Amino acid sequence: MTGYGFDLPPMASPDVMVQRNALAEDTCRALAQAGIPVFRGDLGDKSEGMPGAEVHVDPLVVGGVLVEWNTEPELTTSAVDLLAGGVDPSDLPHAIRHHETVHVCMRDALLGILASAGFQAEKADGHTYGTAVFVTGFQT
């Protein structure tokens, strides 16, 4: 889309996307085996927006499989509503701090579970993906 004055990042090839989709399915299976509620958010799963681990494939060349934790809508809504109303970043309300703590704790738990199952996983770039886990493959 260079005609509009910006370049879109390059997309992964179809072969790479097939590999990533297989990795995403393996990731879902491993999390489900651990008792974690999990769904594929990129496939329009009816569970989308429900609490649990949301797995999706990033289609960019530098992408991979991402796992994000979703809380109950009540917790998310209360934090978002407070942020929308404006808050002092040096004195965040409890609901915002709690929401963030839940996401960080669940990210760390997901990292540990996936590593134990043999996956290569790391914290995703926080500026781009927040508290997501980035899964790139299996450990050899």
Side-chain angles (χ1 to χ4, degrees):
M1 296 201 95
T2 56
Y4 294 101
F6 60 92
D7 290 324
L8 294 176
M11 304 302 269
S13 71
D15 290 342
V16 168
M17 290 303 292
V18 166
Q19 292 171 0
R20 287 183 188 166
N21 276 298
L23 180 60
E25 288 302 316
D26 291 342
T27 300
C28 287
R29 191 175 307 102
L31 293 174
Q33 288 173 345
I36 304 290
V38 61
F39 58 93
R40 287 285 302 269
D42 57 345
L43 299 180
D45 190 321
K46 293 185 189 288
S47 299
E48 189 170 352
M50 298 298 293
E54 179 178 346
V55 176
H56 61 273
V57 176
D58 185 343
L60 300 179
V61 164
V62 296
V65 174
L66 292 158
V67 183
E68 297 182 83
W69 185 255
N70 291 332
T71 61
E72 283 281 344
E74 180 182 356
L75 181 59
T76 301
T77 300
S78 65
V80 169
D81 288 349
L82 285 167
L83 287 168
V87 295
D88 176 0
S90 66
D91 186 28
L92 293 173
H94 176 264
I96 294 172
R97 292 190 323 266
H98 178 58
H99 183 265
E100 182 177 341
T101 298
V102 168
H103 279 266
V104 168
C105 289
M106 291 309 299
R107 178 203 58 211
D108 293 346
L110 293 168
L111 278 167
I113 291 166
L114 291 169
S116 177
F119 290 86
Q120 294 170 335
E122 59 191 45
K123 294 177 186 176
D125 173 35
H127 294 290
T128 305
Y129 299 109
T131 56
V133 172
F134 191 58
V135 183
T136 57
F138 290 103
Q139 296 176 4
T140 55

